[in-house]
Each structure stands twice: as C-alpha cells, then as structure tokens.
Amino acid sequence: MLAWLVGCLIAGIVMYGVVPTIVIRKRRILLFREGTAPDCLALTFDDGPDPYYTPKLLDLLKKYGVKATFFVVGRKVERYPDIVRRMVEEGHEVGIHNYRHISNWLLPPFWLDWGVYRAAAAIERAAGQRPVYYRPPWGHFNVWTPIVQRRYTTVLWTHILGDWNENIGTMELFRRLRAAVRGGAVIVLHDNGDALGANKRAPEQMLSALELLFKDEAAKKMRWVTITELRNAQTNKQISSM
C-alpha cells in the first residue's frame, strides 16, 4: 500500500511538474533566456536578499559600474526591505523568485498564485516599483505556471554555474564565469546560501570570483546590463537589421 501511494505521488509530480517543465523549456513558451546583442550580457542573482552578502555584492557592483537583475524571495524582502530599496536606487532591477524558495513541482495552483502575488507586493512596498520579471526556483514549472507567466516576463538563463557549491573553489568558478562571457548571455549566480542544496558560505567565493572577472580584460570589453537593457538591445539590433 505504501509503495502504491509513493508511486502515485511520484507520478503526480511528474505529470504536474516535470513534464510541463520539459515542454515549457524546450518550446521556450513565454520565456526570455538570452539576448542577441554581441556586446551585452546580463548578470542575475537568485535567492536574496541576504543581510550579509547582498550589501557586499552591491558594493562590488557599484565599484565596477555593473548593473544586474535580482530575483528575490518575497519573505526575505519583507525582512530586509532596505536592501531591495538600495538595489533599485543603484540602478539594478528586481524580479520575483516566489515568496518562499519552493519548487513549483510541489505548489498547487492556489499557493503558486498566492506566493507570486505576495512576493510582488513585498517588492512594490520596498522599492516603489511593481516587478515585471519572474524566475521560478530551480527553473521548475507546473501545469499552472503559464497562467502566472502571462502576468510577467519569465527569465531563465544561458549559464548556471554551480556557485552554490563552495567545493568548486574560487578559481574554478572564475574560469566558468570567464567562459560564460559572450554577447547575449544571461548568467545566474546566488547571493544567498540558505537554499536547499547550497552551502551557506558559498556566496563568499562567488564574490571573490566575480571581482576577478570584473578585472579580466575580456570582461571589461562587455556591457553588463539589466534584463530590460538586454532585451532592448536585442530589439534595437533587430530593428537596425530590417
């Protein structure tokens, strides 16, 4: 009996979450995941804000004049609204990463709607701006997610580099970052180490690897932009080629 129940649960998760994720990603349904401008790329950060690492990250981005897009967890926004306000004041963008860091495979439609709505409201209270971008945790979708996607632009990535694992080391992460530098890229990093499977101190080496990248000559030749700027650069390129 127990085995039958477990089998039904797994089958339900597969049909409700895994299959839609495969289909949405493969067909790129309502997704933005990369640009086309040869001189622009976007850094994005998930899972924050963190009271220790995110201010250090903002200091680093300000030092090198880099703009980024943050996909934040609504519950943390409520705890640290001043950090989110600082993001916007310094020219960064803020998008939704749900209210809690839970896979959409495990969220029924009502809880998904409620979580996204509550996260959006928290961001608006903190930053004075309604978010327009959404990135589900782990990039997981479900059969209800396309309804949510119609209200926002869903952003995935071209490169996700495993920076949540501190065992890869600063230099290996730097090498992965440098290899990801190309026009149109959307790079995912994490300014919080509390998510399932992450190491709490991993953001420390992410910051070190990122500073090495900003000093790299190839990286200096690129424009580090927000998702909106990357999308606009793509549109402008398409218009200029017509």
Side-chain angles (χ1 to χ4, degrees), residues 97-108:
H97 202 44
N98 217 334
Y99 183 72
R100 296 179 183 272
H101 199 279
I102 300 174
S103 170
N104 282 346
W105 296 355
L106 304 176
L107 290 177

Side-chain angles (χ1 to χ4, degrees), residues 94-226:
V94 180
I96 301 165
H97 202 44
N98 217 334
Y99 183 72
R100 296 179 183 272
H101 199 279
I102 300 174
S103 170
N104 282 346
W105 296 355
L106 304 176
L107 290 177
F110 171 80
W111 289 108
L112 174 59
D113 271 346
W114 176 84
V116 171
Y117 171 81
R118 190 169 178 184
I123 293 168
E124 187 169 16
R125 286 194 303 272
Q129 295 181 1
R130 192 75 175 174
V132 297
Y133 297 117
Y134 168 63
R135 174 181 285 162
W138 295 290
H140 289 175
F141 299 87
N142 62 40
V143 295
W144 188 255
T145 314
I147 304 300
V148 175
Q149 288 177 266
R150 295 184 185 279
R151 304 171 199 152
Y152 304 94
T153 298
T154 303
V155 180
L156 289 188
W157 53 78
T158 58
H159 299 83
I160 187 163
L161 305 177
D163 64 300
W164 58 84
N165 180 3
E166 65 179 342
N167 293 329
I168 68 174
T170 298
M171 294 310 299
E172 173 59 23
L173 181 56
F174 166 61
R175 285 190 285 270
R176 294 181 187 186
L177 280 165
R178 187 169 54 182
V181 172
R182 65 170 178 79
V186 177
I187 300 171
V188 179
L189 295 169
H190 300 79
D191 56 324
N192 180 280
D194 289 340
L196 181 66
N199 299 120
K200 289 185 179 297
R201 298 182 61 185
E204 193 71 55
Q205 73 177 17
M206 179 274 291
L207 293 169
S208 298
L210 200 55
E211 182 149 29
L212 289 174
L213 179 70
F214 292 154
K215 294 177 179 178
D216 184 76
E217 290 303 318
K220 289 179 181 179
K221 297 176 182 178
M222 303 298 292
R223 292 174 54 214
W224 299 86
V225 299
T226 63

Side-chain angles (χ1 to χ4, degrees), residues 22-31:
I22 294 171
V23 172
I24 291 171
R25 286 191 180 190
K26 185 174 182 179
R27 297 188 178 181
R28 301 193 177 190
I29 298 172
L30 302 173
L31 296 180

